[in-house]
């Protein structure tokens, strides 16, 4: 009762895993194991937190990167493009190598959760941002994105999740955009695709979700229909003069 349904179900899944391992190790007989794991999932849903990043806000942030200029600005624009235009998680972005990018096809091989690999295709703007970064980075094998010193020198090392977050946060502040999280960029990616008419199964594959219900949470069309339906009626309130 103290936890959100998703959190409670994760706890139950962890408990079932421990019990199963105990049974495999002979520390629990089969009958006791079956009784112990006979736990009903917690029902219910919560309203999604976070927000979508608009096209205008994305343009403002990319403009801030361009205004910054140099390798640092190009790197941050490419990172933002991968989050916003590719729907990648932070860990997936920093885990990319140059070899994962097929320049001719505009395709990335992304290693997601559970060691699962998926293919992601970039839109024209994201490709352009990545190409601008590669003109600074070069073709040396190694991490796709790397640190840039204050003097503008590139180091062939891997960015951390936190350093990527700080870079995007700096550009957000420079652009004067309201706060958002990196996951909000992923939420915007999924919602924009579904709004544009992409089918749920395709968006699920692009985002690397194992469960289509997870992808369905990004669908904004239901909220828009509810808003339109609510405006079909009228409550006869007149404020006092």
């Amino acid at each position: 009762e103290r936890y959100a349904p998703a959190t409670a179900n994760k706890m139950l899944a962890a408990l079932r895993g421990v019990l199963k391992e105990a049974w495999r190790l002979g520390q629990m007989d089969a009958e006791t194991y079956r009784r112990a794991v006979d736990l009903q999932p917690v029902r219910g849903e919560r309203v999604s937190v976070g927000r979508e990043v608009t096209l205008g806000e994305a343009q403002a942030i990319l403009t801030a990167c361009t205004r910054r200029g140099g390798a640092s600005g190009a790197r941050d624009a490419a990172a933002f493009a991968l989050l916003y235009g590719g729907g990648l998680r932070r860990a997936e972005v920093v885990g990319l190598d140059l070899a994962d990018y097929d320049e001719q096809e505009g395709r990335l091989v992304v290693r997601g959760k559970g060691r699962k690999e998926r293919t992601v295709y970039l839109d024209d703007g994201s490709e352009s941002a990545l190409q601008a970064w590669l003109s600074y980075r070069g073709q040396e094998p190694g991490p796709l994105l790397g640190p840039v010193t204050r003097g503008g020198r590139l180091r062939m090392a891997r960015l951390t999740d936190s350093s990527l977050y700080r870079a995007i946060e700096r550009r957000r502040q420079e652009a004067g955009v309201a706060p958002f999280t990196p996951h909000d960029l992923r939420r915007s990616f999924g919602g924009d695709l579904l709004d544009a008419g992409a089918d749920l199964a395709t968006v699920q594959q692009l985002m690397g979700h194992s469960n289509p219900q997870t992808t369905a949470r990004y669908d904004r069309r239901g909220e828009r229909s509810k808003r339109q339906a609510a405006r079909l009626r009228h409550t006869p309130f007149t404020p006092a003069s």
Side-chain angles (χ1 to χ4, degrees):
E1 294 180 355
R2 292 184 297 158
Y3 297 100
T7 303
N9 284 319
K10 285 182 180 179
M11 292 176 172
L12 291 177
L15 175 60
R16 292 188 188 96
V18 172
L19 292 170
K20 188 172 186 178
E21 194 62 27
W23 167 70
R24 284 175 171 172
L25 293 171
Q27 298 173 354
M28 178 183 293
D29 61 75
E31 180 63 22
T32 304
Y33 166 69
R34 283 196 296 270
R35 289 180 179 275
V37 297
D38 187 20
L39 301 167
Q40 294 298 316
V42 178
R43 303 296 180 186
E45 294 183 0
R46 292 285 181 91
V47 175
S48 178
V49 296
R51 73 178 188 90
E52 281 82 24
V53 176
T54 67
L55 185 63
E57 290 175 326
Q59 184 176 12
I61 291 170
L62 289 169
T63 299
C65 295
T66 304
R67 192 182 302 120
R68 170 71 178 181
S72 178
R75 192 274 315 275
D76 293 349
F80 182 85
L82 291 170
L83 293 165
Y84 178 80
L88 274 63
R89 302 176 178 94
R90 264 193 301 167
E92 293 171 345
V93 171
V94 299
L96 288 170
D97 290 328
L98 180 65
D100 297 325
Y101 176 51
D102 185 335
E103 187 173 339
Q104 292 186 339
E105 297 290 334
R107 178 178 61 197
L108 286 168
V109 176
V110 180
R111 285 171 289 279
K113 291 183 177 179
R115 299 182 181 179
K116 294 178 182 177
E117 290 189 355
R118 71 182 189 277
T119 301
V120 172
Y121 291 88
L122 300 177
D123 59 34
D124 292 344
S126 298
E127 268 199 274
S128 296
L130 192 53
Q131 288 296 328
W133 158 244
L134 290 177
S135 67
Y136 287 96
R137 183 202 178 281
Q139 297 297 316
E140 181 181 347
L144 183 61
L145 301 180
V148 179
T149 67
R150 291 187 178 182
R153 294 181 58 188
L154 280 65
R155 292 194 297 114
M156 197 56 63
R158 197 171 298 281
L159 286 175
T160 63
D161 283 11
S162 57
S163 60
L164 176 63
Y165 178 85
R166 289 193 298 271
I168 298 300
E169 179 64 11
R170 281 195 301 270
R171 303 300 169 235
R172 179 197 69 77
Q173 293 177 0
E174 291 172 6
V177 171
F180 61 83
T181 68
H183 191 78
D184 289 337
L185 299 176
R186 182 169 161 82
R187 177 181 290 108
S188 303
F189 172 81
D192 288 347
L193 286 179
L194 292 169
D195 272 356
D199 65 89
L200 187 66
T202 301
V203 178
Q204 177 190 349
Q205 293 174 356
L206 287 171
M207 299 188 74
H209 289 150
S210 57
N211 190 333
Q213 291 181 347
T214 305
T215 312
R217 296 174 188 165
Y218 297 86
D219 195 343
R220 303 184 291 237
R221 292 170 294 184
E223 292 300 313
R224 186 163 56 248
S225 297
K226 287 190 289 185
R227 189 183 307 113
Q228 292 172 350
R231 290 172 179 169
L232 294 176
R233 65 181 308 280
H234 173 67
T235 299
F237 170 75
T238 302
S241 57

